[in-house]
Short mmCIF file of all heavy atoms in Angstrom, two decimals:
data_model
loop_
_atom_site.label_atom_id
_atom_site.label_comp_id
_atom_site.label_asym_id
_atom_site.label_seq_id
_atom_site.Cartn_x
_atom_site.Cartn_y
_atom_site.Cartn_z
N MET A 1 8.18 7.63 25.69
CA MET A 1 6.85 7.57 26.26
C MET A 1 6.47 6.10 26.45
O MET A 1 6.79 5.25 25.64
CB MET A 1 5.84 8.24 25.32
CG MET A 1 4.48 8.35 25.88
SD MET A 1 3.52 9.47 24.87
CE MET A 1 1.93 8.80 25.11
N LYS A 2 5.75 5.83 27.53
CA LYS A 2 5.35 4.46 27.83
C LYS A 2 3.86 4.28 27.57
O LYS A 2 3.06 5.15 27.83
CB LYS A 2 5.67 4.11 29.27
CG LYS A 2 7.16 4.04 29.53
CD LYS A 2 7.43 3.53 30.90
CE LYS A 2 8.94 3.46 31.09
NZ LYS A 2 9.31 2.88 32.35
N LYS A 3 3.53 3.11 27.04
CA LYS A 3 2.15 2.72 26.81
C LYS A 3 1.77 1.74 27.92
O LYS A 3 2.55 0.85 28.25
CB LYS A 3 2.01 2.07 25.44
CG LYS A 3 0.61 1.64 25.09
CD LYS A 3 0.57 1.05 23.69
CE LYS A 3 -0.85 0.65 23.34
NZ LYS A 3 -0.94 0.08 21.99
N VAL A 4 0.59 1.90 28.48
CA VAL A 4 0.12 1.02 29.55
C VAL A 4 -1.13 0.29 29.07
O VAL A 4 -2.01 0.88 28.45
CB VAL A 4 -0.21 1.83 30.83
CG1 VAL A 4 -0.79 0.93 31.91
CG2 VAL A 4 1.01 2.55 31.35
N GLU A 5 -1.18 -1.01 29.34
CA GLU A 5 -2.36 -1.82 29.02
C GLU A 5 -2.72 -2.68 30.21
O GLU A 5 -1.86 -3.05 31.01
CB GLU A 5 -2.11 -2.72 27.79
CG GLU A 5 -2.07 -1.96 26.50
CD GLU A 5 -2.09 -2.87 25.28
OE1 GLU A 5 -2.21 -4.10 25.43
OE2 GLU A 5 -1.98 -2.32 24.17
N PHE A 6 -4.02 -2.98 30.32
CA PHE A 6 -4.55 -3.80 31.38
C PHE A 6 -5.19 -5.04 30.77
O PHE A 6 -5.81 -4.96 29.72
CB PHE A 6 -5.63 -3.04 32.17
CG PHE A 6 -5.12 -1.76 32.75
CD1 PHE A 6 -5.20 -0.57 32.04
CD2 PHE A 6 -4.57 -1.73 34.02
CE1 PHE A 6 -4.74 0.62 32.57
CE2 PHE A 6 -4.10 -0.54 34.56
CZ PHE A 6 -4.19 0.63 33.83
N GLU A 7 -5.03 -6.17 31.43
CA GLU A 7 -5.68 -7.39 30.97
C GLU A 7 -6.43 -8.00 32.16
O GLU A 7 -5.83 -8.35 33.16
CB GLU A 7 -4.66 -8.38 30.41
CG GLU A 7 -5.31 -9.52 29.70
CD GLU A 7 -4.41 -10.22 28.70
OE1 GLU A 7 -3.41 -9.63 28.24
OE2 GLU A 7 -4.72 -11.37 28.38
N ARG A 8 -7.74 -8.09 32.03
CA ARG A 8 -8.61 -8.55 33.12
C ARG A 8 -8.64 -10.07 33.18
O ARG A 8 -8.77 -10.73 32.16
CB ARG A 8 -10.02 -8.01 32.88
CG ARG A 8 -11.08 -8.40 33.88
CD ARG A 8 -11.13 -7.57 35.13
NE ARG A 8 -11.22 -6.15 34.92
CZ ARG A 8 -12.32 -5.43 35.00
NH1 ARG A 8 -13.47 -6.02 35.24
NH2 ARG A 8 -12.27 -4.13 34.85
N VAL A 9 -8.49 -10.61 34.37
CA VAL A 9 -8.61 -12.05 34.61
C VAL A 9 -9.60 -12.28 35.76
O VAL A 9 -9.71 -11.46 36.67
CB VAL A 9 -7.25 -12.72 34.92
CG1 VAL A 9 -6.34 -12.69 33.72
CG2 VAL A 9 -6.57 -12.05 36.09
N ARG A 10 -10.33 -13.39 35.68
CA ARG A 10 -11.33 -13.73 36.70
C ARG A 10 -10.95 -15.05 37.37
O ARG A 10 -10.40 -15.94 36.72
CB ARG A 10 -12.71 -13.87 36.07
CG ARG A 10 -13.26 -12.59 35.50
CD ARG A 10 -14.70 -12.73 35.10
NE ARG A 10 -15.60 -12.92 36.22
CZ ARG A 10 -16.06 -11.94 37.02
NH1 ARG A 10 -15.67 -10.71 36.80
NH2 ARG A 10 -16.87 -12.20 38.00
N SER A 11 -11.27 -15.17 38.63
CA SER A 11 -11.03 -16.44 39.32
C SER A 11 -12.09 -17.44 38.89
O SER A 11 -13.20 -17.08 38.49
CB SER A 11 -11.07 -16.24 40.84
OG SER A 11 -12.33 -15.80 41.26
N GLN A 12 -11.71 -18.71 38.95
CA GLN A 12 -12.62 -19.79 38.55
C GLN A 12 -12.72 -20.79 39.69
O GLN A 12 -11.73 -21.06 40.37
CB GLN A 12 -12.10 -20.48 37.30
CG GLN A 12 -12.01 -19.57 36.10
CD GLN A 12 -11.30 -20.24 34.92
OE1 GLN A 12 -10.68 -21.28 35.07
NE2 GLN A 12 -11.41 -19.61 33.77
N LEU A 13 -13.91 -21.34 39.85
CA LEU A 13 -14.15 -22.32 40.89
C LEU A 13 -13.40 -23.61 40.57
O LEU A 13 -13.43 -24.11 39.46
CB LEU A 13 -15.65 -22.61 41.01
CG LEU A 13 -16.07 -23.62 42.07
CD1 LEU A 13 -15.68 -23.12 43.46
CD2 LEU A 13 -17.56 -23.87 41.99
N SER A 14 -12.70 -24.14 41.57
CA SER A 14 -11.94 -25.38 41.41
C SER A 14 -12.16 -26.22 42.66
O SER A 14 -11.84 -25.79 43.75
CB SER A 14 -10.46 -25.06 41.23
OG SER A 14 -9.70 -26.23 41.29
N GLY A 15 -12.74 -27.37 42.53
CA GLY A 15 -13.02 -28.22 43.68
C GLY A 15 -14.48 -28.11 44.07
O GLY A 15 -15.20 -27.23 43.60
N PHE A 16 -14.92 -29.00 44.90
CA PHE A 16 -16.32 -29.05 45.31
C PHE A 16 -16.41 -29.22 46.81
O PHE A 16 -15.51 -29.75 47.44
CB PHE A 16 -17.05 -30.20 44.60
CG PHE A 16 -17.03 -30.06 43.11
CD1 PHE A 16 -16.09 -30.76 42.35
CD2 PHE A 16 -17.91 -29.22 42.46
CE1 PHE A 16 -16.07 -30.64 40.98
CE2 PHE A 16 -17.89 -29.09 41.09
CZ PHE A 16 -16.97 -29.80 40.35
N GLY A 17 -17.52 -28.82 47.36
CA GLY A 17 -17.76 -29.00 48.78
C GLY A 17 -17.85 -27.68 49.50
O GLY A 17 -17.67 -26.62 48.93
N LEU A 18 -18.13 -27.75 50.76
CA LEU A 18 -18.24 -26.56 51.59
C LEU A 18 -16.91 -26.26 52.28
O LEU A 18 -16.13 -27.16 52.57
CB LEU A 18 -19.33 -26.74 52.64
CG LEU A 18 -20.74 -26.99 52.08
CD1 LEU A 18 -21.69 -27.35 53.20
CD2 LEU A 18 -21.23 -25.77 51.31
N GLY A 19 -16.67 -25.02 52.51
CA GLY A 19 -15.48 -24.63 53.25
C GLY A 19 -14.20 -24.91 52.50
O GLY A 19 -13.99 -24.45 51.39
N LYS A 20 -13.33 -25.72 53.09
CA LYS A 20 -11.99 -25.95 52.54
C LYS A 20 -11.99 -26.77 51.25
O LYS A 20 -11.00 -26.83 50.56
CB LYS A 20 -11.11 -26.62 53.58
CG LYS A 20 -10.84 -25.73 54.78
CD LYS A 20 -9.86 -26.38 55.73
CE LYS A 20 -9.67 -25.53 56.94
NZ LYS A 20 -8.64 -24.55 56.81
N GLY A 21 -13.10 -27.43 50.91
CA GLY A 21 -13.15 -28.20 49.68
C GLY A 21 -13.32 -27.33 48.44
O GLY A 21 -13.07 -27.76 47.33
N THR A 22 -13.74 -26.08 48.62
CA THR A 22 -13.97 -25.18 47.49
C THR A 22 -12.80 -24.22 47.37
O THR A 22 -12.40 -23.60 48.34
CB THR A 22 -15.27 -24.38 47.70
OG1 THR A 22 -16.33 -25.30 47.86
CG2 THR A 22 -15.55 -23.49 46.52
N LYS A 23 -12.25 -24.11 46.17
CA LYS A 23 -11.13 -23.20 45.93
C LYS A 23 -11.42 -22.38 44.68
O LYS A 23 -12.12 -22.83 43.78
CB LYS A 23 -9.83 -23.98 45.70
CG LYS A 23 -9.39 -24.80 46.85
CD LYS A 23 -8.13 -25.56 46.50
CE LYS A 23 -7.74 -26.50 47.63
NZ LYS A 23 -6.58 -27.29 47.29
N TYR A 24 -10.87 -21.20 44.64
CA TYR A 24 -10.93 -20.36 43.46
C TYR A 24 -9.49 -20.12 43.02
O TYR A 24 -8.60 -19.97 43.85
CB TYR A 24 -11.61 -19.03 43.76
CG TYR A 24 -13.08 -19.17 44.02
CD1 TYR A 24 -13.56 -19.41 45.29
CD2 TYR A 24 -13.99 -19.07 42.98
CE1 TYR A 24 -14.92 -19.55 45.52
CE2 TYR A 24 -15.35 -19.21 43.19
CZ TYR A 24 -15.81 -19.44 44.48
OH TYR A 24 -17.15 -19.59 44.70
N LYS A 25 -9.27 -20.10 41.70
CA LYS A 25 -7.91 -19.88 41.22
C LYS A 25 -7.92 -19.06 39.94
O LYS A 25 -8.92 -18.98 39.24
CB LYS A 25 -7.19 -21.21 41.00
CG LYS A 25 -7.81 -22.08 39.92
CD LYS A 25 -7.05 -23.38 39.79
CE LYS A 25 -7.62 -24.23 38.69
NZ LYS A 25 -6.84 -25.42 38.45
N PHE A 26 -6.79 -18.45 39.65
CA PHE A 26 -6.55 -17.73 38.41
C PHE A 26 -5.64 -18.63 37.57
O PHE A 26 -4.43 -18.65 37.75
CB PHE A 26 -5.86 -16.39 38.68
CG PHE A 26 -6.72 -15.43 39.44
CD1 PHE A 26 -6.65 -15.36 40.82
CD2 PHE A 26 -7.60 -14.60 38.78
CE1 PHE A 26 -7.44 -14.47 41.53
CE2 PHE A 26 -8.40 -13.71 39.47
CZ PHE A 26 -8.33 -13.64 40.85
N SER A 27 -6.23 -19.39 36.68
CA SER A 27 -5.48 -20.47 36.03
C SER A 27 -4.54 -20.02 34.92
O SER A 27 -3.54 -20.67 34.67
CB SER A 27 -6.45 -21.52 35.48
OG SER A 27 -7.34 -20.94 34.57
N ASP A 28 -4.80 -18.92 34.24
CA ASP A 28 -3.98 -18.54 33.08
C ASP A 28 -3.06 -17.36 33.33
O ASP A 28 -2.47 -16.83 32.39
CB ASP A 28 -4.89 -18.21 31.89
CG ASP A 28 -5.65 -19.43 31.39
OD1 ASP A 28 -5.12 -20.54 31.55
OD2 ASP A 28 -6.75 -19.26 30.84
N VAL A 29 -2.89 -16.96 34.57
CA VAL A 29 -2.12 -15.75 34.86
C VAL A 29 -0.67 -15.88 34.39
O VAL A 29 -0.14 -14.98 33.72
CB VAL A 29 -2.18 -15.41 36.36
CG1 VAL A 29 -1.24 -14.27 36.70
CG2 VAL A 29 -3.59 -15.06 36.76
N GLU A 30 -0.01 -16.99 34.69
CA GLU A 30 1.39 -17.15 34.29
C GLU A 30 1.54 -17.16 32.77
O GLU A 30 2.48 -16.59 32.23
CB GLU A 30 1.99 -18.43 34.88
CG GLU A 30 2.19 -18.38 36.38
CD GLU A 30 1.01 -18.92 37.15
OE1 GLU A 30 -0.02 -19.25 36.53
OE2 GLU A 30 1.11 -19.03 38.39
N THR A 31 0.61 -17.79 32.08
CA THR A 31 0.65 -17.84 30.62
C THR A 31 0.49 -16.45 30.02
O THR A 31 1.22 -16.08 29.09
CB THR A 31 -0.47 -18.76 30.09
OG1 THR A 31 -0.33 -20.05 30.68
CG2 THR A 31 -0.43 -18.88 28.58
N ILE A 32 -0.42 -15.67 30.56
CA ILE A 32 -0.63 -14.30 30.07
C ILE A 32 0.61 -13.45 30.29
O ILE A 32 1.07 -12.75 29.38
CB ILE A 32 -1.86 -13.66 30.77
CG1 ILE A 32 -3.14 -14.37 30.36
CG2 ILE A 32 -1.94 -12.17 30.46
CD1 ILE A 32 -4.35 -14.02 31.21
N ILE A 33 1.18 -13.52 31.49
CA ILE A 33 2.38 -12.72 31.79
C ILE A 33 3.54 -13.15 30.90
O ILE A 33 4.24 -12.31 30.32
CB ILE A 33 2.75 -12.84 33.28
CG1 ILE A 33 1.65 -12.19 34.13
CG2 ILE A 33 4.10 -12.20 33.55
CD1 ILE A 33 1.78 -12.43 35.62
N ARG A 34 3.76 -14.44 30.75
CA ARG A 34 4.85 -14.95 29.91
C ARG A 34 4.70 -14.47 28.46
O ARG A 34 5.66 -13.99 27.84
CB ARG A 34 4.89 -16.47 29.97
CG ARG A 34 6.10 -17.07 29.28
CD ARG A 34 6.17 -18.59 29.47
NE ARG A 34 6.40 -18.91 30.87
CZ ARG A 34 5.52 -19.54 31.65
NH1 ARG A 34 4.35 -19.91 31.19
NH2 ARG A 34 5.80 -19.80 32.91
N ARG A 35 3.49 -14.56 27.92
CA ARG A 35 3.24 -14.12 26.54
C ARG A 35 3.52 -12.63 26.37
O ARG A 35 4.18 -12.21 25.43
CB ARG A 35 1.79 -14.44 26.16
CG ARG A 35 1.39 -13.93 24.78
CD ARG A 35 -0.05 -14.29 24.42
NE ARG A 35 -1.03 -14.13 25.48
CZ ARG A 35 -1.68 -12.98 25.74
NH1 ARG A 35 -1.42 -11.90 25.05
NH2 ARG A 35 -2.57 -12.93 26.71
N ARG A 36 3.04 -11.83 27.31
CA ARG A 36 3.23 -10.38 27.22
C ARG A 36 4.72 -10.00 27.32
O ARG A 36 5.20 -9.15 26.60
CB ARG A 36 2.46 -9.66 28.33
CG ARG A 36 0.97 -9.65 28.14
CD ARG A 36 0.60 -8.69 27.02
NE ARG A 36 -0.81 -8.40 27.05
CZ ARG A 36 -1.32 -7.18 26.97
NH1 ARG A 36 -0.54 -6.15 26.85
NH2 ARG A 36 -2.61 -7.01 26.98
N VAL A 37 5.44 -10.65 28.25
CA VAL A 37 6.86 -10.35 28.43
C VAL A 37 7.63 -10.73 27.16
O VAL A 37 8.52 -9.99 26.72
CB VAL A 37 7.42 -11.07 29.68
CG1 VAL A 37 8.93 -11.02 29.72
CG2 VAL A 37 6.83 -10.45 30.94
N GLN A 38 7.30 -11.85 26.54
CA GLN A 38 7.96 -12.24 25.29
C GLN A 38 7.67 -11.26 24.17
O GLN A 38 8.47 -11.13 23.25
CB GLN A 38 7.52 -13.65 24.89
CG GLN A 38 8.09 -14.73 25.79
CD GLN A 38 7.53 -16.12 25.51
OE1 GLN A 38 6.54 -16.28 24.81
NE2 GLN A 38 8.16 -17.12 26.10
N ASP A 39 6.54 -10.55 24.24
CA ASP A 39 6.19 -9.54 23.24
C ASP A 39 6.76 -8.16 23.57
O ASP A 39 6.40 -7.18 22.93
CB ASP A 39 4.66 -9.42 23.10
CG ASP A 39 4.05 -10.64 22.39
OD1 ASP A 39 4.80 -11.36 21.70
OD2 ASP A 39 2.84 -10.85 22.55
N GLY A 40 7.61 -8.08 24.60
CA GLY A 40 8.27 -6.83 24.92
C GLY A 40 7.61 -5.99 26.00
O GLY A 40 8.06 -4.88 26.29
N TRP A 41 6.56 -6.50 26.62
CA TRP A 41 5.87 -5.78 27.68
C TRP A 41 6.54 -6.07 29.02
O TRP A 41 7.11 -7.13 29.22
CB TRP A 41 4.40 -6.18 27.76
CG TRP A 41 3.60 -5.74 26.58
CD1 TRP A 41 3.41 -6.42 25.41
CD2 TRP A 41 2.90 -4.50 26.44
NE1 TRP A 41 2.63 -5.68 24.56
CE2 TRP A 41 2.30 -4.50 25.17
CE3 TRP A 41 2.72 -3.40 27.27
CZ2 TRP A 41 1.53 -3.44 24.72
CZ3 TRP A 41 1.95 -2.35 26.81
CH2 TRP A 41 1.38 -2.37 25.56
N GLU A 42 6.45 -5.12 29.95
CA GLU A 42 6.94 -5.32 31.30
C GLU A 42 5.73 -5.49 32.22
O GLU A 42 4.79 -4.69 32.18
CB GLU A 42 7.74 -4.10 31.75
CG GLU A 42 8.24 -4.18 33.16
CD GLU A 42 8.95 -2.91 33.60
OE1 GLU A 42 9.27 -2.07 32.77
OE2 GLU A 42 9.15 -2.77 34.83
N PHE A 43 5.75 -6.55 33.05
CA PHE A 43 4.67 -6.76 34.01
C PHE A 43 4.91 -5.84 35.21
O PHE A 43 5.96 -5.86 35.83
CB PHE A 43 4.63 -8.22 34.46
CG PHE A 43 3.64 -8.49 35.55
CD1 PHE A 43 2.28 -8.36 35.31
CD2 PHE A 43 4.06 -8.86 36.81
CE1 PHE A 43 1.35 -8.60 36.31
CE2 PHE A 43 3.14 -9.11 37.82
CZ PHE A 43 1.79 -8.98 37.57
N CYS A 44 3.91 -5.01 35.53
CA CYS A 44 4.06 -4.01 36.60
C CYS A 44 3.32 -4.37 37.88
O CYS A 44 3.57 -3.76 38.91
CB CYS A 44 3.57 -2.66 36.11
SG CYS A 44 4.49 -2.06 34.70
N GLY A 45 2.40 -5.31 37.81
CA GLY A 45 1.63 -5.68 38.99
C GLY A 45 0.18 -5.92 38.63
O GLY A 45 -0.15 -6.14 37.47
N TYR A 46 -0.68 -5.85 39.63
CA TYR A 46 -2.10 -6.08 39.39
C TYR A 46 -2.94 -5.14 40.25
O TYR A 46 -2.48 -4.62 41.26
CB TYR A 46 -2.49 -7.54 39.66
CG TYR A 46 -2.44 -7.94 41.12
CD1 TYR A 46 -3.58 -7.87 41.90
CD2 TYR A 46 -1.26 -8.36 41.71
CE1 TYR A 46 -3.55 -8.22 43.24
CE2 TYR A 46 -1.22 -8.72 43.04
CZ TYR A 46 -2.36 -8.65 43.80
OH TYR A 46 -2.32 -8.99 45.12
N VAL A 47 -4.19 -4.96 39.82
CA VAL A 47 -5.14 -4.13 40.54
C VAL A 47 -6.38 -4.98 40.81
O VAL A 47 -7.01 -5.45 39.86
CB VAL A 47 -5.54 -2.88 39.72
CG1 VAL A 47 -6.56 -2.05 40.46
CG2 VAL A 47 -4.32 -2.06 39.35
N PRO A 48 -6.75 -5.21 42.07
CA PRO A 48 -7.99 -5.93 42.34
C PRO A 48 -9.17 -5.10 41.85
O PRO A 48 -9.26 -3.91 42.13
CB PRO A 48 -8.02 -6.07 43.86
CG PRO A 48 -6.66 -5.72 44.34
CD PRO A 48 -6.04 -4.87 43.30
N VAL A 49 -10.07 -5.71 41.09
CA VAL A 49 -11.21 -4.99 40.53
C VAL A 49 -12.49 -5.35 41.28
O VAL A 49 -13.30 -4.49 41.60
CB VAL A 49 -11.35 -5.28 39.02
CG1 VAL A 49 -12.55 -4.58 38.44
CG2 VAL A 49 -10.08 -4.85 38.29
N GLU A 50 -12.67 -6.65 41.55
CA GLU A 50 -13.85 -7.12 42.28
C GLU A 50 -13.38 -8.04 43.40
O GLU A 50 -12.46 -8.83 43.21
CB GLU A 50 -14.77 -7.93 41.38
CG GLU A 50 -15.43 -7.17 40.26
CD GLU A 50 -16.25 -8.10 39.39
OE1 GLU A 50 -15.66 -8.86 38.62
OE2 GLU A 50 -17.49 -8.05 39.52
N THR A 51 -14.02 -7.93 44.56
CA THR A 51 -13.73 -8.84 45.67
C THR A 51 -15.03 -9.46 46.17
O THR A 51 -16.11 -8.91 45.99
CB THR A 51 -13.04 -8.11 46.84
OG1 THR A 51 -13.87 -7.05 47.29
CG2 THR A 51 -11.69 -7.57 46.43
N ARG A 52 -14.89 -10.61 46.81
CA ARG A 52 -16.04 -11.25 47.44
C ARG A 52 -16.23 -10.68 48.83
O ARG A 52 -15.35 -9.98 49.34
CB ARG A 52 -15.79 -12.76 47.54
CG ARG A 52 -15.74 -13.44 46.21
CD ARG A 52 -15.69 -14.97 46.40
NE ARG A 52 -15.54 -15.58 45.10
CZ ARG A 52 -14.36 -15.77 44.50
NH1 ARG A 52 -13.25 -15.44 45.10
NH2 ARG A 52 -14.31 -16.32 43.31
N GLY A 53 -17.33 -11.02 49.46
CA GLY A 53 -17.58 -10.57 50.82
C GLY A 53 -16.55 -11.08 51.81
O GLY A 53 -16.35 -10.51 52.87
N THR A 54 -15.85 -12.16 51.45
CA THR A 54 -14.81 -12.73 52.30
C THR A 54 -13.47 -12.02 52.15
O THR A 54 -12.53 -12.31 52.86
CB THR A 54 -14.60 -14.22 51.96
OG1 THR A 54 -14.23 -14.31 50.57
CG2 THR A 54 -15.85 -15.03 52.21
N GLY A 55 -13.39 -11.09 51.18
CA GLY A 55 -12.15 -10.38 50.92
C GLY A 55 -11.31 -11.00 49.83
O GLY A 55 -10.28 -10.45 49.44
N ASP A 56 -11.70 -12.17 49.33
CA ASP A 56 -10.96 -12.82 48.25
C ASP A 56 -11.17 -12.06 46.95
O ASP A 56 -12.23 -11.52 46.69
CB ASP A 56 -11.43 -14.27 48.07
CG ASP A 56 -11.16 -15.12 49.31
OD1 ASP A 56 -10.06 -14.99 49.87
OD2 ASP A 56 -12.05 -15.88 49.70
N ILE A 57 -10.14 -12.06 46.11
CA ILE A 57 -10.22 -11.36 44.83
C ILE A 57 -11.02 -12.18 43.83
O ILE A 57 -10.71 -13.34 43.59
CB ILE A 57 -8.80 -11.07 44.27
CG1 ILE A 57 -8.04 -10.17 45.22
CG2 ILE A 57 -8.88 -10.44 42.88
CD1 ILE A 57 -6.57 -9.99 44.86
N GLU A 58 -12.05 -11.57 43.24
CA GLU A 58 -12.89 -12.21 42.22
C GLU A 58 -12.29 -11.96 40.83
O GLU A 58 -12.20 -12.86 40.01
CB GLU A 58 -14.31 -11.64 42.29
CG GLU A 58 -15.23 -12.11 41.20
CD GLU A 58 -15.70 -13.54 41.40
OE1 GLU A 58 -15.73 -14.02 42.54
OE2 GLU A 58 -16.03 -14.18 40.39
N SER A 59 -11.91 -10.72 40.57
CA SER A 59 -11.25 -10.40 39.29
C SER A 59 -10.20 -9.32 39.54
O SER A 59 -10.29 -8.55 40.49
CB SER A 59 -12.27 -9.93 38.24
OG SER A 59 -12.81 -8.68 38.58
N MET A 60 -9.19 -9.33 38.67
CA MET A 60 -8.11 -8.35 38.77
C MET A 60 -7.63 -7.98 37.39
O MET A 60 -7.83 -8.73 36.43
CB MET A 60 -6.96 -8.89 39.62
CG MET A 60 -6.25 -10.09 39.06
SD MET A 60 -4.97 -10.63 40.20
CE MET A 60 -4.60 -12.24 39.54
N SER A 61 -7.03 -6.82 37.29
CA SER A 61 -6.42 -6.37 36.03
C SER A 61 -4.91 -6.50 36.17
O SER A 61 -4.33 -5.96 37.12
CB SER A 61 -6.77 -4.92 35.72
OG SER A 61 -8.09 -4.82 35.29
N LEU A 62 -4.29 -7.22 35.25
CA LEU A 62 -2.84 -7.29 35.20
C LEU A 62 -2.36 -6.04 34.47
O LEU A 62 -2.92 -5.66 33.44
CB LEU A 62 -2.39 -8.55 34.45
CG LEU A 62 -2.91 -9.88 35.00
CD1 LEU A 62 -2.45 -11.03 34.10
CD2 LEU A 62 -2.45 -10.10 36.42
N VAL A 63 -1.33 -5.39 34.98
CA VAL A 63 -0.84 -4.12 34.43
C VAL A 63 0.47 -4.37 33.69
O VAL A 63 1.41 -4.93 34.26
CB VAL A 63 -0.64 -3.08 35.54
CG1 VAL A 63 -0.22 -1.75 34.94
CG2 VAL A 63 -1.89 -2.93 36.39
N PHE A 64 0.53 -3.93 32.45
CA PHE A 64 1.71 -4.06 31.61
C PHE A 64 2.07 -2.70 31.03
O PHE A 64 1.20 -1.90 30.75
CB PHE A 64 1.46 -5.05 30.46
CG PHE A 64 1.14 -6.43 30.91
CD1 PHE A 64 -0.17 -6.83 31.10
CD2 PHE A 64 2.15 -7.35 31.16
CE1 PHE A 64 -0.50 -8.10 31.52
CE2 PHE A 64 1.85 -8.63 31.59
CZ PHE A 64 0.53 -9.01 31.76
N GLN A 65 3.37 -2.48 30.83
CA GLN A 65 3.79 -1.26 30.16
C GLN A 65 4.89 -1.58 29.16
O GLN A 65 5.61 -2.56 29.29
CB GLN A 65 4.22 -0.18 31.14
CG GLN A 65 5.50 -0.45 31.88
CD GLN A 65 5.85 0.70 32.81
OE1 GLN A 65 5.09 1.63 32.98
NE2 GLN A 65 7.01 0.62 33.41
N LYS A 66 4.99 -0.69 28.16
CA LYS A 66 5.94 -0.90 27.07
C LYS A 66 6.40 0.46 26.58
O LYS A 66 5.59 1.38 26.45
CB LYS A 66 5.26 -1.68 25.95
CG LYS A 66 6.13 -2.09 24.81
CD LYS A 66 5.30 -2.91 23.82
CE LYS A 66 6.15 -3.60 22.82
NZ LYS A 66 5.35 -4.43 21.89
N GLU A 67 7.67 0.58 26.32
CA GLU A 67 8.22 1.81 25.74
C GLU A 67 7.83 1.88 24.27
O GLU A 67 8.00 0.91 23.54
CB GLU A 67 9.74 1.82 25.87
CG GLU A 67 10.39 3.15 25.61
CD GLU A 67 10.11 4.16 26.70
OE1 GLU A 67 10.09 3.79 27.88
OE2 GLU A 67 9.91 5.33 26.34
N VAL A 68 7.26 3.01 23.85
CA VAL A 68 6.86 3.17 22.44
C VAL A 68 7.62 4.29 21.77
O VAL A 68 8.20 5.13 22.38
CB VAL A 68 5.34 3.43 22.29
CG1 VAL A 68 4.58 2.18 22.63
CG2 VAL A 68 4.87 4.59 23.12
#
């Protein structure tokens, strides 16, 4: 049987200014995935949870599964 867990991450504002000067990023995603994989979890993908009016992802759930 497999156990499934979700870990929510939010984008953070990076940079200043209008238009191209403003960026949003998910800064800890690689660290979270690396930690989970080292603990025996398999990274399965992500699910967008919130989006902005522009279509950009505001928050997402990282999906992990593990054989129990």
Side-chain angles (χ1 to χ4, degrees):
M1 186 167 150
K2 292 187 179 185
K3 180 178 181 180
V4 176
E5 287 191 4
F6 302 91
E7 191 158 339
R8 178 83 52 101
V9 293
R10 295 189 67 80
S11 63
Q12 298 172 347
L13 181 62
S14 170
F16 300 98
L18 299 172
K20 295 185 183 272
T22 303
K23 297 178 185 177
Y24 290 89
K25 63 181 182 175
F26 294 93
S27 59
D28 294 332
V29 173
E30 290 92 355
T31 304
I32 293 168
I33 294 171
R34 188 175 294 114
R35 176 179 42 87
R36 288 288 194 132
V37 168
Q38 289 173 347
D39 288 340
W41 291 89
E42 177 184 347
F43 174 66
C44 299
Y46 69 94
V47 178
V49 178
E50 294 177 286
T51 58
R52 293 188 185 86
T54 59
D56 297 316
I57 298 172
E58 175 75 25
S59 68
M60 64 181 166
S61 286
L62 304 176
V63 183
F64 298 92
Q65 69 179 6
K66 185 178 193 178
E67 193 71 38
V68 290

